[in-house]
Amino acid sequence: MSTRPPRRTPLSRASVLEAALRVIDERGLDACTMRAVAASLGVEAMSLYHHIEGKDALLDGVVELVLAELEPASDGSGWREGLAGFAHRYRDLLRRHPNVVPLLASRPAVGYAAAARVAAPGLASLEAAGFDRRTAIRAARTITRYVVGFALAESAGPPAAPPEARDGRDPAIAALLEALASDSPDELFAFGLDTLLDGLAARLSRSQGASAPPAPPA
Amino acid sequence: MSTRPPRRTPLSRASVLEAALRVIDERGLDACTMRAVAASLGVEAMSLYHHIEGKDALLDGVVELVLAELEPASDGSGWREGLAGFAHRYRDLLRRHPNVVPLLASRPAVGYAAAARVAAPGLASLEAAGFDRRTAIRAARTITRYVVGFALAESAGPPAAPPEARDGRDPAIAALLEALASDSPDELFAFGLDTLLDGLAARLSRSQGASAPPAPPA
DNA sequence: ACCTGAACACCGTTCAAGT
DNA sequence: ACCTGAACACCGTTCAAGT
């Protein structure tokens, strides 16, 4: 009778990682078992081990795969626009893969290396604007951590109401949670990002004011 | 012969959660199995189910337990000191429980509700300083997300060097990773926090400048 | 009421065997 | 070289039984 359709393309590390990402995106992190990934490829679980060292390497690879989609910060425009654009692209990427975000938390940070690589051109524009190298690196890292922290809170979903709010014992808490829920995530993200960029701008003008020698008396 | 020593105190939800947190702190998240937590209490795995609904509820409870240690933002001093103190206490707390940090990412956000509760007094000092309520809430949330993002990166450990850096093919990347590794985490944290607070201060003086009506002509 | 032993349906992974 | 079936040591959880 009918035999299982032959796989048209042989398995590869890349195809295994793509299948795993697909499973995570569609059915969640818990559903991403070796058996499920294999089944989605029409193959037995043990076949995966010829292309990937094990479950840990699989999840590391998924993080790598997602971060490979991240476009580098452009070095064309000003430092502020470059950083803002990078932050938005990074957040959008993580929003497209919310189930992957928790992996950023627990995986050895292969991802941060990729982020560093991708941010490198942005560093150039920060230095061109007058930030010293160490400050430029710190600025980029701060932005990155803010974005990841934001995406994390976003992917975890809205806070559960604690008992004090649920039973009306503490209306102030209930009002606060209501205010939290009604604020737009996009606006909140832009608020925090603008705050960071304003802070960097303030630091820049401070350092330039200090380093620019006062006009010498004539 | 000797029987198993009788448990002096009966099991309770609290004692189960404390045992789970101890296992996570000492042996990592993966080691926190129902069987291991039970064993650490001198009990069988199934006994836990009389006090906790299941594994998910156990991990939710651990997050709750950790965040219960967080001291509220003080409302005594100025907004800037209050926020900075809160941020440092939050980061220190997460550093004491690095293995718990990934749970903040994947758990339904019972934690964020607790953080909101604890930040409430800080909101009062922000409003006293002249921030409107919505801005005060956004400021507090931004700080919180930055702290969590920072703790996340910190608990994930230093970035692994990508191949381009390892084999010397790209010395610029290698130098960048070297710079990342040599910067002090404490200074980096303070840098980002100061940047956020500077940004908030700038926003405050902008809004006060705008809202203070010009002295009316006499 | 609280704890337990055996059992079930899973999981990641090893290994010897197939082609 | 690549894939597989059976097996192993685990896991969370159910259930009937003990005290």
Side-chain angles (χ1 to χ4, degrees):
Chain A
M1 301 298 159
S2 74
T3 64
R4 186 194 297 169
R7 297 189 39 74
R8 16 193 181 339
T9 57
L11 247 40
S12 68
R13 181 182 145 87
S15 67
V16 169
L17 294 181
E18 282 157 19
L21 177 56
R22 215 153 35 228
V23 170
I24 292 172
D25 282 342
E26 290 169 9
R27 289 150 53 198
L29 213 42
D30 287 348
C32 179
T33 68
M34 297 298 273
R35 285 166 166 93
V37 172
S40 81
L41 289 165
V43 120
E44 297 297 317
M46 301 74 205
S47 307
L48 303 182
Y49 287 84
H50 292 279
H51 303 96
I52 218 88
E53 298 76 4
K55 182 78 181 281
D56 276 0
L58 181 75
L59 296 180
D60 282 345
V62 167
V63 171
E64 245 179 283
L65 182 62
V66 168
L67 289 172
E69 290 181 43
L70 189 60
E71 299 282 320
S74 74
D75 50 355
S77 50
W79 68 270
R80 186 164 179 136
E81 295 73 26
L83 237 48
F86 174 74
H88 275 109
R89 283 197 305 280
Y90 198 0
R91 175 184 177 233
D92 289 342
L93 174 63
L94 296 182
R95 280 222 290 185
R96 263 178 276 130
H97 303 285
N99 297 336
V100 173
V101 176
L103 288 181
L104 292 177
S106 51
R107 295 289 98 197
V110 44
Y112 297 96
R117 171 181 47 76
V118 110
L123 291 181
S125 78
L126 282 165
E127 293 188 87
F131 290 98
D132 65 46
R133 178 156 187 79
R134 201 180 53 172
T135 304
I137 291 178
R138 285 180 173 175
R141 300 182 89 182
T142 296
I143 298 276
T144 298
R145 292 185 183 202
Y146 166 69
V147 171
V148 173
F150 195 96
L152 204 57
E154 211 169 8
S155 79
E164 308 92 275
R166 245 182 331 250
D167 63 11
R169 207 173 343 129
D170 192 333
I173 297 276
L176 178 56
L177 289 175
E178 161 60 22
L180 293 190
S182 68
D183 202 6
S184 141
D186 288 352
E187 283 183 54
L188 183 59
F189 180 74
F191 174 94
L193 182 57
D194 284 344
T195 301
L196 277 171
L197 295 172
D198 284 352
L200 290 174
R203 191 181 300 266
L204 182 60
S205 67
R206 261 201 319 270
S207 79
Q208 283 176 337
S211 71
Chain B
M1 301 297 156
S2 74
T3 65
R4 187 195 297 172
R7 299 187 38 75
R8 20 200 178 332
T9 57
L11 247 39
S12 68
R13 180 182 145 87
S15 68
V16 169
L17 294 181
E18 283 158 18
L21 176 57
R22 215 155 35 228
V23 170
I24 292 172
D25 282 342
E26 290 169 8
R27 289 151 52 198
L29 214 41
D30 287 347
C32 180
T33 67
M34 297 297 274
R35 285 165 165 93
V37 172
S40 82
L41 289 165
V43 117
E44 297 299 316
M46 302 72 206
S47 307
L48 303 183
Y49 286 84
H50 291 278
H51 303 97
I52 218 89
E53 298 76 4
K55 182 78 184 281
D56 276 0
L58 181 75
L59 297 180
D60 282 344
V62 167
V63 171
E64 246 179 283
L65 181 62
V66 167
L67 289 173
E69 291 180 43
L70 190 59
E71 299 280 321
S74 74
D75 50 355
S77 48
W79 69 269
R80 185 165 179 133
E81 294 73 25
L83 238 47
F86 174 73
H88 275 109
R89 284 197 304 280
Y90 197 2
R91 174 182 177 232
D92 288 344
L93 174 62
L94 296 182
R95 280 222 290 187
R96 264 178 277 128
H97 303 286
N99 297 337
V100 173
V101 177
L103 288 182
L104 291 177
S106 50
R107 294 290 99 200
V110 43
Y112 297 96
R117 171 180 49 73
V118 110
L123 290 182
S125 78
L126 281 165
E127 293 189 86
F131 289 98
D132 65 46
R133 179 156 185 79
R134 201 179 54 170
T135 304
I137 291 178
R138 287 179 173 176
R141 299 182 90 182
T142 297
I143 299 275
T144 299
R145 292 183 182 202
Y146 167 68
V147 171
V148 173
F150 195 96
L152 203 57
E154 210 167 10
S155 80
E164 307 92 276
R166 244 181 334 247
D167 62 13
R169 209 178 337 132
D170 191 334
I173 297 277
L176 177 56
L177 288 175
E178 161 60 23
L180 293 190
S182 68
D183 202 6
S184 141
D186 288 352
E187 282 183 54
L188 183 59
F189 180 74
F191 174 93
L193 183 57
D194 284 343
T195 301
L196 277 171
L197 296 173
D198 284 352
L200 291 173
R203 191 181 300 267
L204 182 60
S205 66
R206 261 201 319 268
S207 79
Q208 283 176 335
S211 72

